[in-house]
Amino acid sequence: MFRKLSLVVLIPVCMLTLYLVLVTAEYFYESKQVRKELADRQVGQIKQQLLRMQAIVQSAQALQDIERIEQEVSLATLDMNVMVYILLDANSRIRFANHAVWRDSNAIEVIDGYDVIQHHAVVQSGLASISVNPERLSIQAYYPVEAQYPGATELVYLESDLAPLVAKASTELQQRFMRVWGLGALLLIGFTCVLYYLLIRPFKLLSKSAKHVGTPEFTIQVPWSAAEVLSLQTSLQQVHERLGRAVKQLNDSEQRWLFAVEGSRNGIWDWDLRTGEVFLSDRWKEMIGYLPDELEGAFQTWEARLHPDDKQAVLNCLDEYVSGKTKEFESVHRLLHRDGHYVWVFDRGMLVDWDHLGRPTRMIGIHVDVSESEKNHAAIAELVKQSASGHRMLPEAFMEQLSQYLSQRNRAGYWGALLFVNVDTHDISDSLSTHELERLLSQLGARLSSYFTENIVVAHIEFGNFAFLVKDLAVDAEMAGRRALALATELRQITMRPFHYGEHHFSLVANLGICLLDSVETLAPELVVRRAQLAMEHGKSSEHAGCAFYHPDLARALDPEPSLLNALQRAITDNQLSLMFQPVVDVYGKIESAEVLSRWSLANGEIVPVAQFISLAEQNGLVASLDLNVTERVCQLVKQFRQLGITLPRLTLNISTLSFCQADFIEQFIAVVRSYELDDKQLGVELAESVFLTSKAFVEPRIIQLVEAGIAITLDNFGAGQSALSCLHNYPLTEVKLDVHCAVSLLNDASWNQALIQAVQPFKLPIVAKGVESVQQQQLFTTLGCTHFQGYNIARALSLNDFKQLVCPRPLLRSV
């Protein structure tokens, strides 16, 4: 809304608001100062009065002159601001008072502001106590007097009313500020008018002119204004002129491009993915023996002429590129010639346009005839040969370079590192022959080599094991460690990018060990490699998530059980994971939503703990597949119930932080949801606080995509981490779920839960208490402000059949 406001409204409102804030702040500041000055002045007067009274009382008591004391007390009553003026003995009995009815009474019973403890403290210390009570707008004074005999006066107690003085000063201050505010408002209005004519009005004229830049209707008629506005006017005129020249150059370039294309003898194709229409250049048609007007411009024209042996592989390659699974489309295949024989062509294409939902809409490419050129055949054969061998450095050559670096690095003074990378090929060894597997690893070596500079030496030293010698990392160990860890993270991401080999698609998992190399210690190359290998083995453990540094006390860590990892992959692929549903209800017991939970039981009946198989999936790159699998199954379930006329409550899915941070996960997730055409807010995702505390530039676009797709967003486990209020302020959340440990600590100490709930309440978000296991817990959470509840007191995690019984009306159960 604010982005559409005109400067004509926005600037005056902002200036007036700022002026009001400043004037109001100054008023309250001066009001506070006036009160303080009044109180200080009154306290000074009281001190002088009490000092005089102390001397009079002590002398009068010594002379047994009681009348003199009564006269002084009577004089004190002439001050209209004095409310209480009494002289007390050690028993708090009032000996003299400005009101006769109080005499001989106990001060505790008749004087509200009197404090006997303060009385005795002042008498014992011999030091007067004069304090200002801002709430009662009064001054209280306890002044000690030396008692000359038992039962004599020992304290003067006084209360003086500040309210009349404060009221008078406040009235004068308000009158003065009204005059100042009125004069300032007039000056501000005048300044705003000047600002409109000098700045805002010229900007409006420039904005109107900018809509016609590059067209004959473009004119600039800006009156005299600020130098910056005139400079902008000049720049807009220059843009108009440059745009005109650019359009002419573009037209000229298009003509030259068409000539260059025809001159290069390459065929051009332009495919509209929405309609299936394909532009085929004359040269493209000529390659397969047709005249310019003889072939229909349609996708089937090309598809029908693919060689039967090449067709499926080419279409698969094209589909993978269009769907975003691969980064490029390149293919060498055969097309049917008009005369009946086949010609070899090199086909390369690129997506150039997408719709507002991110779906590709246009693709352009070229065809190159390579069937009649022996030179092209030789080049292709050489490329295949290089791909087979990869950019592999022999182990002997690598060890020689490592030895040379270890012996010469002392002179440089820089830290280096050796990274040992193990690629897990166990899961794909059954699908590929040994030769194909070696070729795949060689392609991985080529991919890794292409990403790094000469400062990094890459070698495939063993089957599935790569070594990276990183030179000149940093001059100190801490920075070298950080950079080595960043490089290791990049290596794992590159390795886990899918490989496409024939009809197969593979995702590899890498474990890394890092051995830092300082400029002092001299080591044998074999020892360095062994240390990095030990770190790699240690990095396979769950707490290191696939990457670890070498240290002297390092012990070999056990490998994750391969059979369990294989079983998890099959369980995801074959939908063997069980889906459980735990309801979330409001304070009236109505089911508002249900959290979808995954459970895994092995064939022998053993139940794998959730934390164990989720950790295994995250360490081995399966968690995104797991999350997408659960998403699709839940969408299918919602669609089935909708076809039966049943609307389920909102189902929320737990999305791993690792999944959320993957480059294309959110797009895949949204594509799955949209394919089932679910209603808005029918599906939700639960994200941990750590997701929102990463870079806002990274998180915000993904959150916006989810919201635009109608996905409800829940902040999960609030209170387990930093409990950052920025998460609640910056993102469009649907609800907040407290961490389950809040319920555990509730009965012993509710202060933490109360603080969390009070922090969320100003954001007007539903607050879900998790792990509620008793009626007492639910009642306490309700008292603290929770609006929704989840836990065993409501319902355990239910199977699909039990969930049906809970949410479906009885007559519908027969048809479910």
Side-chain angles (χ1 to χ4, degrees):
M1 179 182 71
F2 291 104
R3 283 187 277 182
K4 296 182 180 179
L5 285 178
S6 171
L7 290 176
V8 178
V9 176
L10 193 59
I11 289 181
V13 168
C14 291
M15 293 176 65
L16 181 60
T17 302
L18 179 61
Y19 177 71
L20 288 176
V21 169
L22 292 176
V23 170
T24 304
E26 177 64 19
Y27 171 76
F28 283 110
Y29 175 77
E30 288 200 21
S31 177
K32 184 177 179 181
Q33 289 296 110
V34 166
R35 291 191 179 195
K36 186 176 182 303
E37 291 174 1
L38 284 174
D40 291 344
R41 186 165 60 248
Q42 195 70 4
V43 167
Q45 294 176 359
I46 288 173
K47 283 182 179 179
Q48 293 177 359
Q49 183 179 357
L50 291 178
L51 180 62
R52 180 174 178 275
M53 175 58 78
Q54 181 189 41
I56 291 173
V57 170
Q58 289 181 172
S59 64
Q61 286 186 152
L63 300 173
Q64 298 293 318
D65 189 1
I66 304 303
E67 292 182 0
R68 185 180 178 189
I69 299 176
E70 290 179 346
Q71 290 174 359
E72 287 298 325
V73 173
S74 298
L75 289 174
T77 59
L78 298 177
D79 188 350
M80 301 302 296
N81 293 327
V82 174
M83 298 184 296
V84 178
Y85 197 110
I86 60 177
L87 280 68
L88 305 171
D89 62 13
N91 295 320
S92 299
R93 188 165 61 90
I94 301 175
R95 302 300 301 272
F96 302 95
N98 60 329
H99 296 291
V101 294
W102 291 344
R103 182 171 296 184
D104 295 327
S105 300
N106 193 313
I108 300 174
E109 299 174 353
V110 298
I111 307 300
D112 292 338
Y114 171 73
D115 185 353
V116 67
I117 297 176
Q118 184 74 6
H119 171 163
H120 293 303
V122 168
V123 171
Q124 290 177 3
S125 65
L127 299 176
S129 173
I130 302 177
S131 61
V132 178
N133 190 329
E135 295 180 357
R136 301 180 60 180
L137 287 178
S138 65
I139 299 174
Q140 289 181 309
Y142 294 82
Y143 212 90
V145 177
E146 183 179 352
Q148 302 293 330
Y149 50 85
T153 298
E154 69 172 17
L155 180 79
V156 179
Y157 174 77
L158 180 147
E159 279 192 41
S160 178
D161 189 9
L162 286 176
L165 298 175
V166 171
K168 180 180 179 181
S170 297
T171 302
E172 295 175 353
L173 183 64
Q174 289 174 3
Q175 293 174 351
R176 180 162 58 88
F177 265 86
M178 289 297 294
R179 292 193 297 271
V180 171
W181 183 88
L183 179 60
L186 292 175
L187 292 176
L188 187 63
I189 292 172
F191 176 75
T192 304
C193 293
V194 174
L195 185 66
Y196 172 79
Y197 282 100
L198 290 181
L199 188 63
I200 300 176
R201 183 167 175 265
F203 270 125
K204 291 179 65 178
L205 295 174
L206 286 176
S207 177
K208 184 178 179 180
S209 300
K211 297 178 181 179
H212 301 288
V213 169
T215 66
E217 292 81 11
F218 175 78
T219 57
I220 295 183
Q221 297 179 351
V222 178
W224 66 275
S225 183
E228 290 78 7
V229 177
L230 297 177
S231 175
L232 184 59
Q233 173 186 345
T234 303
S235 299
L236 196 61
Q237 179 67 42
Q238 293 173 351
V239 169
H240 172 70
E241 295 172 356
R242 285 200 300 268
L243 185 59
R245 293 194 297 269
V247 171
K248 182 178 184 303
Q249 292 174 359
L250 182 62
N251 293 331
D252 295 342
S253 298
E254 184 178 358
Q255 298 299 323
R256 288 192 289 268
W257 177 80
L258 290 173
F259 177 78
V261 167
E262 292 301 322
S264 66
R265 308 300 291 164
N266 292 335
I268 304 297
W269 52 269
D270 188 339
W271 178 25
D272 189 332
L273 278 71
R274 294 170 295 186
T275 63
E277 295 181 0
V278 181
F279 164 77
L280 302 172
S281 70
D282 296 345
R283 172 57 183 159
W284 193 97
K285 299 175 183 178
E286 182 185 343
M287 287 182 186
I288 54 176
Y290 289 88
L291 297 176
D293 57 350
E294 287 187 326
L295 288 178
E296 180 185 1
F299 180 79
Q300 291 75 15
T301 301
W302 169 76
E303 182 183 15
R305 284 166 175 76
L306 290 170
H307 192 283
D309 294 341
D310 301 338
K311 185 173 183 178
Q312 193 59 45
V314 176
L315 292 178
N316 289 341
C317 183
L318 179 61
D319 180 67
E320 289 167 359
Y321 174 67
V322 172
S323 63
K325 296 179 181 177
T326 56
K327 301 300 182 183
E328 59 183 16
F329 171 68
E330 288 186 0
S331 176
V332 178
H333 53 263
R334 290 162 286 184
L335 289 178
L336 180 63
H337 195 272
R338 184 174 191 171
D339 296 338
H341 67 277
Y342 285 90
V343 296
W344 283 93
V345 297
F346 171 75
D347 194 352
R348 183 174 184 178
M350 179 176 66
L351 291 169
V352 295
D353 197 13
W354 294 261
D355 63 13
H356 68 285
L357 296 177
R359 297 174 297 196
T361 58
R362 185 183 178 194
M363 187 174 177
I364 298 177
I366 62 169
H367 270 183
V368 182
D369 186 353
V370 296
S371 59
E372 298 178 356
S373 173
E374 291 298 327
K375 181 178 179 180
N376 284 337
H377 276 297
I380 292 174
E382 182 63 24
L383 286 174
V384 173
K385 180 180 178 182
Q386 290 181 5
S387 177
S389 61
H391 297 70
R392 176 174 177 175
M393 177 181 288
L394 295 176
E396 295 80 6
F398 174 78
M399 296 301 287
E400 182 178 349
Q401 284 215 17
L402 176 59
S403 177
Q404 183 179 3
Y405 169 74
L406 293 172
S407 62
Q408 295 180 353
R409 74 186 193 283
N410 294 342
R411 292 174 294 180
Y414 276 82
W415 283 71
L418 180 70
L419 279 67
F420 191 94
V421 183
N422 171 256
V423 180
D424 187 0
T425 60
H426 180 80
D427 297 332
I428 63 174
S429 58
D430 297 336
S431 305
L432 299 177
S433 65
T434 303
H435 174 72
E436 291 173 330
L437 191 56
E438 288 181 349
R439 183 183 179 91
L440 179 65
L441 291 174
S442 297
Q443 291 179 2
L444 173 60
R447 175 191 287 183
L448 295 173
S449 299
S450 65
Y451 272 85
F452 301 106
T453 64
E454 295 179 355
N455 189 46
I456 300 177
V457 181
V458 184
H460 188 181
I461 57 176
E462 294 175 353
F463 186 81
N465 292 327
F466 295 83
F468 291 76
L469 174 58
V470 187
K471 305 176 182 178
D472 302 340
L473 268 176
V475 294
D476 63 271
E478 182 179 0
M479 183 58 67
R482 291 179 182 177
R483 291 180 178 176
L485 187 58
L487 177 61
T489 303
E490 185 178 2
L491 280 171
R492 295 197 78 211
Q493 292 174 350
I494 294 171
T495 304
M496 288 189 292
R497 282 175 45 197
F499 282 90
H500 306 274
Y501 190 84
E503 298 180 356
H504 301 286
H505 306 277
F506 302 105
S507 293
L508 301 177
V509 177
N511 296 292
L512 291 94
I514 305 172
C515 178
L516 292 178
L517 306 173
D518 63 20
S519 59
V520 178
E521 187 179 12
T522 301
L523 301 172
E526 295 78 10
L527 180 58
V528 172
V529 174
R530 179 58 180 163
R531 286 184 174 182
Q533 187 177 10
L534 280 173
M536 180 273 297
E537 296 289 345
H538 194 59
K540 291 181 179 180
S541 58
S542 59
E543 63 268 20
H544 291 91
C547 180
F549 283 87
Y550 171 81
H551 58 84
D553 299 328
L554 188 64
R556 181 182 299 273
L558 297 177
D559 291 333
E561 187 178 353
S563 59
L564 189 61
L565 180 60
N566 294 337
L568 179 58
Q569 289 177 316
R570 289 193 298 271
I572 295 173
T573 304
D574 301 338
N575 294 335
Q576 295 175 3
L577 296 175
S578 301
L579 297 184
M580 308 293 285
F581 305 84
Q582 188 167 34
V584 176
V585 302
D586 61 13
V587 292
Y588 303 106
K590 178 184 176 183
I591 299 177
E592 295 290 339
S593 63
E595 181 178 350
V596 181
L597 305 170
S598 301
R599 298 292 185 265
W600 183 27
S601 299
L602 301 179
N604 59 8
E606 178 185 354
I607 298 177
V608 182
V610 176
Q612 182 179 354
F613 76 77
I614 293 296
S615 176
L616 186 63
E618 290 180 340
Q619 292 176 39
N620 295 277
L622 297 178
V623 69
S625 300
L626 172 60
D627 289 341
L628 290 174
N629 174 269
V630 172
T631 301
E632 183 154 12
R633 292 172 64 189
V634 170
C635 291
Q636 290 174 351
L637 178 65
V638 174
K639 184 176 181 180
Q640 291 172 2
F641 273 75
R642 185 174 59 188
Q643 291 172 348
L644 296 173
I646 303 171
T647 301
L648 293 176
R650 182 175 73 247
L651 301 180
T652 61
L653 311 175
N654 287 288
I655 300 300
S656 167
T657 301
L658 294 180
S659 298
F660 183 87
C661 294
Q662 285 194 14
D664 56 352
F665 175 81
I666 295 300
E667 289 76 8
Q668 295 179 31
F669 178 85
I670 293 175
V672 171
V673 175
R674 282 181 171 155
S675 66
Y676 288 90
E677 299 179 348
L678 304 185
D679 297 335
D680 283 357
K681 305 296 184 179
Q682 176 64 66
L683 201 69
V685 296
E686 298 190 12
L687 301 174
E689 185 182 29
S690 57
V691 169
F692 299 98
L693 295 180
T694 54
S695 170
K696 186 176 181 181
F698 174 82
V699 175
E700 189 171 32
R702 289 163 168 76
I703 296 296
I704 291 174
Q705 286 180 277
L706 291 172
V707 173
E708 291 178 347
I711 308 298
I713 301 174
T714 298
L715 172 59
D716 197 14
N717 296 331
F718 186 72
Q722 300 180 20
S723 306
L725 299 184
S726 60
C727 303
L728 308 175
H729 176 70
N730 294 331
Y731 300 105
L733 302 176
T734 303
E735 63 182 4
V736 176
K737 283 191 175 184
L738 301 181
D739 183 59
V740 70
H741 292 94
C742 292
V744 177
S745 62
L746 178 65
L747 299 179
N748 297 325
D749 182 9
S751 58
W752 173 244
N753 296 276
Q754 184 177 8
L756 289 175
I757 294 169
Q758 289 178 348
V760 178
Q761 285 174 336
F763 296 94
K764 308 298 183 184
L765 292 171
I767 305 172
V768 181
K770 293 171 58 176
V772 178
E773 298 184 354
S774 66
V775 175
Q776 184 182 5
Q777 284 181 330
Q778 185 170 343
Q779 291 174 345
L780 283 174
F781 273 125
T782 303
T783 303
L784 292 176
C786 284
T787 57
H788 295 75
F789 310 95
Q790 177 182 354
Y792 279 15
N793 187 54
I794 312 302
R796 58 180 173 81
L798 304 173
S799 65
L800 178 58
N801 289 331
D802 291 339
F803 188 58
K804 290 178 184 177
Q805 297 284 341
L806 185 63
V807 302
C808 295
R810 290 295 176 183
L812 292 176
L813 285 175
R814 301 187 186 93
S815 61
V816 176

